[in-house]
Amino acid sequence: MTASDQSVDGLSDLAELISHEQEFSDDRIDPTVRRRRRRRGLIITAVCIVLLLAVTGGYIGWALTAPVNPPAVTTRAPQVPVGTAAVVATPPAAASAISIAGADAYLGEGADGTWSASGTGEALPIASITKLITALVILDASPLTSADDPGPTITFGKADHDLYDMYYVQGATIAPMPTGTSMSLHDALAAMLIPSASNYADALSSRIFGSQTAFLSTTRDWLASHGLTGTTVAEPTGISPRNTSTPADLLAIAKLAAAHPAIAQIVATPAVSIPGAGRLYNTNGLLGTAGITGLKTGNLGEGTHNLLYTATLDVGAAAPLAVTGVVLGGASRESVNATVVAALEGIRSGFHQVPVATDGQEIGSISTPWGSAATLVIGESASIFTWSDTPIELTMDIETPPTYSDGSVVGSVTWTAGPNAVTVPVTISGSIDPPTEWWRLTHPSELGSVTGAED
């Protein structure tokens, strides 16, 4: 017998053995027991299926309702800009000073005193600025009730007329004063201040006080009563170099003059026609330039040119600024005028709007574990009004929004500089979609406890 025949016989024997075993087993197990076992197996199988379905259903229910961590919000503060530093021209003169009223919140407390100064603070010759003091002393003794009040009538005699020749010989500025000329006190003051006529200053002060001695005595008392201890007046015109004052005193004198209605009106007048005196032109050629409204020029020759001035500057603040300034000992009238205009323009341009935000400027991002993302952007363009390079401070306030939809306001950014602040909204650009069901089912580690979330 071959090997192949042996193999077939072996398989036949095995099949027969199994058949006998099955017959043996079936014969040995009671049919009732066998049915019970089958029923138990079915029950166990059913229970396992039920448990499996319950567990699976519970997981699905939990996964679809469990809270997820809120989106992660990352912010970055926008760069804070720095304003351009103001450049205020300093006159090439012996001394200068500027006072600015209405800008303490921007320039610091005390700006309405002496905000800036250069050169010496000592008393220097003031020349015809003296006439402003003469007018203040005269009006203190003989007040005008308003800017248009003519006041008493003054008649000038031969002695007054002779002053014309006396001051002409000295090279002082003069105006016609024929013998017997009559004019109001207001017009006489205008003839003294507008063309800076020295003969009118002498004649008027003598007429009001009776003598130059009385006038000078009254002037000393007036200066002392106003705390102007740095000022000396030796005569009423300014032709004497002994008439001196400090920049600080002159700022105070200018403010007193500007506050007097009649003087303020007169020194702001470019030209005037007065019967007996003729057509008179203001020596202050800057009137109406760079906001200048007054006050008085003065010089004793080359290198001694002075200007005491007031100006109203509209810089974009709530109200115009009142500037008072003085320059003493300038090389020429032209150089003094040029640097004063440059200084005022420097102050004006020093107040500016500084851009701080651009609409749509990105300042953060929002991301989620399930891959949805959006950005945080500034909701509108903005700028802040400030002076020079005043530091600008920034604060951000970002809140957790109830929804993360496009355009939702989630906070604000505020910039502060000096007295001003500007606030813009922060909004969402793009939308955060909720996680999909599949993501929930496949990322159980990213899900939290409903109970824990409520706590």
Side-chain angles (χ1 to χ4, degrees):
M1 185 173 58
T2 65
S4 176
D5 294 335
Q6 292 177 353
S7 175
V8 171
D9 291 340
L11 291 174
S12 300
D13 294 340
L14 178 60
E16 185 179 356
L17 180 61
I18 293 173
S19 177
H20 288 307
E21 178 64 24
Q22 288 177 345
E23 292 175 358
F24 177 78
S25 298
D26 290 341
D27 293 340
R28 294 287 303 271
I29 298 175
D30 185 271
T32 302
V33 173
R34 186 164 56 251
R35 285 194 298 274
R36 187 182 305 118
R37 288 179 178 177
R38 288 176 180 173
R39 187 166 52 252
R40 183 182 304 134
L42 290 174
I43 292 172
I44 292 172
T45 300
V47 169
C48 290
I49 293 173
V50 170
L51 289 175
L52 179 60
L53 292 175
V55 170
T56 302
Y59 169 76
I60 293 173
W62 169 79
L64 296 180
T65 59
V68 293
N69 291 328
V73 178
T74 302
T75 61
R76 52 183 176 275
Q79 184 176 0
V80 179
V82 178
T84 303
V87 178
V88 180
T90 300
S96 69
I98 295 176
S99 172
I100 302 178
D104 279 12
Y106 297 95
L107 306 177
E109 294 184 5
D112 58 349
T114 298
W115 175 64
S116 71
S118 67
T120 178
E122 299 177 356
L124 296 170
I126 59 175
S128 287
I129 293 176
T130 301
K131 295 183 178 74
L132 205 58
I133 300 173
T134 299
L136 286 165
V137 174
I138 288 173
L139 288 173
D140 195 52
S142 183
L144 298 180
T145 58
S146 68
D148 299 319
D149 180 12
T153 299
I154 308 294
T155 302
F156 298 106
K158 183 179 184 306
D160 300 315
H161 174 71
D162 290 343
L163 294 173
Y164 182 96
D165 296 328
M166 184 184 81
Y167 283 106
Y168 175 81
V169 171
Q170 296 182 61
T173 303
I174 50 180
M177 186 189 288
T179 300
T181 298
S182 294
M183 64 181 64
S184 67
L185 174 59
H186 184 282
D187 285 350
L189 289 170
M192 177 180 76
L193 293 172
I194 292 175
S196 196
S198 292
N199 55 328
Y200 273 81
D202 193 332
L204 192 55
S205 58
S206 295
R207 182 60 57 90
I208 296 296
F209 294 97
S211 69
Q212 283 300 303
T213 300
F215 164 72
L216 293 176
S217 176
T218 303
T219 299
R220 286 190 293 271
D221 292 342
W222 185 87
L223 291 170
S225 68
H226 288 86
L228 302 169
T229 57
T231 303
T232 300
V233 173
E235 49 81 34
T237 70
I239 196 170
S240 170
R242 291 184 296 138
N243 286 5
T244 60
S245 186
T246 63
D249 270 15
L250 288 171
L251 291 179
I253 290 168
K255 292 174 183 178
L256 289 171
H260 196 291
I263 294 180
Q265 181 197 70
I266 290 170
V267 298
T269 304
V272 65
S273 294
I274 298 176
R279 184 70 173 171
L280 306 175
Y281 296 91
N282 204 312
T283 58
N284 185 0
L286 289 183
L287 287 177
T289 301
I292 292 177
T293 56
L295 288 157
K296 192 71 186 73
T297 62
N299 79 89
L300 295 174
E302 185 178 355
T304 63
H305 286 268
N306 307 325
L307 177 63
L308 185 61
Y309 63 93
T310 54
T312 299
L313 294 185
D314 185 356
V315 299
L321 308 184
V323 179
T324 306
V326 62
V327 178
L328 297 175
S332 65
R333 178 174 296 181
E334 291 73 20
S335 67
V336 169
N337 288 353
T339 54
V340 166
V341 170
L344 291 173
E345 290 299 337
I347 294 170
R348 191 196 311 274
S349 62
F351 288 89
H352 50 193
Q353 293 282 350
V354 178
V356 293
T358 303
D359 185 17
Q361 179 180 349
E362 186 175 334
I363 62 167
S365 61
I366 307 173
S367 60
T368 68
W370 55 93
S372 186
T375 56
L376 296 179
V377 298
I378 289 177
E380 61 188 47
S381 298
S383 60
I384 190 167
F385 181 75
T386 187
W387 158 254
S388 187
D389 54 353
T390 298
I392 300 173
E393 298 180 356
L394 177 146
T395 56
M396 293 181 64
D397 183 17
I398 306 298
E399 301 175 351
T400 301
T403 62
Y404 292 85
S405 57
D406 185 61
S408 296
V409 176
V410 296
S412 62
V413 181
T414 299
W415 292 266
T416 304
N420 297 325
V422 60
T423 300
V424 298
V426 175
T427 63
I428 295 177
S429 177
S431 296
I432 298 295
D433 298 323
T436 64
E437 294 178 351
W438 177 251
W439 184 89
R440 283 179 169 274
L441 292 173
T442 57
H443 292 79
S445 62
E446 303 287 350
L447 306 177
S449 167
V450 176
T451 303
E454 292 175 350
D455 292 342

